[in-house]
């Protein structure tokens, strides 16, 4: 039997709230998704004005980051014509996102979840997802210190 | 030109929070989705322990309730062999849910959104979605009285 | 952070070997799939002569049993025209199997995986999946006693 | 009437075991799939820690290698913008993999199966699939010599 770590719903909510704050700061309403370590959706938010086409992109980014265990921007670099990884973007029924904005959530050496944002440029999407991730890491740091 | 009414992200959050409370009260962790008047996802929550297979079912219920403008249980009754509506459950690439737990959000004579819950029995799913819907209606009532 | 239990690859192999033995005993070559607690495939076997159409049915049964946390035959009973759960078989893009032969793997009060078999009658498929499940439970019992 | 040669379940198991050994040697848990000459799955293994997103990639690589009768890396080279084969990666509903790691199993002048691996770099995936293929070829050689 294996024992696996997974972010909780409360942790997902905390990430989404921080990502929403960053989106508001940037003035770009986003779609933000958080998945568990297996790539399954835990929480999702489409802010007022977030793009309809970004609903599935955000979810796919979070899925990819947690299931493939890398930031989605990593695969963007790897997935260029002539690169041996080119073509990975059509795998997983098109749900494998290679657009920046998907980040794995790492605890120790384990991937315990993923976050994905979409509606801005990839750079903006990455910034928003990072804000969500950083909020969780800060929360863990604070909780640890309390113990 | 049309002007369309649509529930906001804040209203979706309020619905999900109330639905989560009802789920906790029932002791059944749920997947809960809120869609806008066009059937597109605004917010989603999978509580700790909510079923993986219920992620898409909850989203489909909310989609169906807002897009088809009826509670999903209405279609369950209509969708029996011999009934002229039989077969509607395979439409929309299988996303047309006929299982109770999807409710349209009505404002005046307009459908302005939908809510869908899944992980319990259809009766429990309906109860949870109703809790979300009722919370929004109460909120509207209070806001109206304040003015 | 949540801590989740999941069957290992070795445990999945043990289940498949026992299910294959039961299939051979019945004289019906089967497709057999084992999934983790999130419904994702760990191991799969199509015995020589197993049906091509049963590849996805076996995988879907194992997915459903672990993701929906019930034997697939439970949903067959629930999913009859007129029943409030009718229609669930078209959910999850058709991957929600309501045909007997999918069983959740339970450890204590947790679902830690699933097994699905297909190529025979539902009764035969259930028998084969049960053989796989029983082998794991016996293995756990033996391992426990050694400690 | 045609007579078709096809690898057996035992041969598929032998390939997967050897591929798993190579994965362990590399320290990268993999997803490994073996298909028959028609591209249909015979056996699959996700080692503990193998990527969830690699489940379908491994299966797609094995499918492509046996169904298109070429190593998947061949198509990677052919599938560049301006090349007449560009675009083939979106065919077969996205299941046509052009990422190295899918190898056809050849017996004489016939394709009798395929193997696909995923979770590492394409070079690592190729190495793992080759280990599986080589094990089968060695086995055939030994069996032949015995007769």
């Amino acid at each position: 039997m294996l024992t696996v770590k997974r972010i909780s719903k409360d942790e997902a909510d905390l990430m989404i709230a921080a990502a929403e704050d960053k989106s508001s700061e940037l003035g770009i309403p986003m779609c933000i998704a958080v998945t568990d370590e297996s790539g399954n959706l835990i929480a999702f938010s489409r802010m007022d004005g977030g793009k309809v086409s970004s609903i599935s992109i955000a979810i796919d980014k979070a899925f990819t980051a947690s299931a493939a265990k890398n930031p989605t921007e990593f695969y963007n670099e790897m997935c260029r014509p002539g690169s041996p990884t080119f073509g990975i973007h059509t795998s997983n029924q098109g749900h494998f996102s290679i657009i920046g904005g998907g980040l794995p959530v790492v605890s120790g050496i384990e991937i315990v979840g993923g976050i994905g944002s979409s509606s801005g440029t990839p750079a903006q999407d990455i910034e928003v997802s990072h804000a969500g991730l950083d909020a969780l890491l800060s929360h863990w740091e604070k909780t640890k210190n309390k113990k």
Side-chain angles (χ1 to χ4, degrees), chain A residues 108-147:
Chain A
I109 56 160
E110 276 183 78
I111 304 292
V112 297
I115 181 168
S117 302
S118 177
S119 279
T121 63
Q124 291 167 329
D125 296 346
I126 291 169
E127 195 175 348
V128 166
S129 286
H130 255 303
L133 183 58
D134 291 347
L136 181 61
L137 300 180
S138 297
H139 172 73
W140 283 346
E141 199 58 37
K142 278 179 214 161
T143 312
K144 205 169 115 188
N145 293 342
K146 277 186 191 163
K147 288 176 191 173

Side-chain angles (χ1 to χ4, degrees), chain A residues 12-68:
Chain A
D13 284 345
L14 182 155
M15 294 177 80
I16 284 192
E20 286 176 343
D21 286 349
K22 176 58 73 178
S23 295
S24 299
E25 196 187 307
L26 294 175
I28 301 163
M30 293 260 177
C31 291
I32 305 149
V34 175
T35 50
D36 66 21
E37 90 301 331
S38 293
N40 290 314
L41 193 64
I42 300 176
F44 174 82
S45 162
R46 178 163 54 106
M47 298 167 71
D48 296 335
K51 296 178 182 180
V52 166
S53 55
S54 289
I55 297 170
S56 60
I57 296 176
I59 295 172
D60 289 350
K61 285 179 180 177
F63 160 75
T64 303
S66 53

Side-chain angles (χ1 to χ4, degrees), chain A residues 56-120:
Chain A
S56 60
I57 296 176
I59 295 172
D60 289 350
K61 285 179 180 177
F63 160 75
T64 303
S66 53
K69 306 186 179 191
N70 277 302
T72 50
E73 63 200 285
F74 168 80
Y75 290 104
N76 190 272
E77 287 169 33
M78 295 293 120
C79 187
R80 294 179 187 178
S83 150
T85 308
F86 179 63
I88 204 165
H89 57 311
T90 65
S91 74
N92 286 268
Q93 278 132 338
H95 294 300
F96 197 105
S97 179
I98 61 161
I99 305 169
L103 296 172
V105 182
V106 185
S107 168
I109 56 160
E110 276 183 78
I111 304 292
V112 297
I115 181 168
S117 302
S118 177
S119 279

Side-chain angles (χ1 to χ4, degrees), chain A residues 3 7-8 12 78 87 102 118:
Chain A
T3 301
I7 53 172
S8 67
M78 295 293 120
S118 177

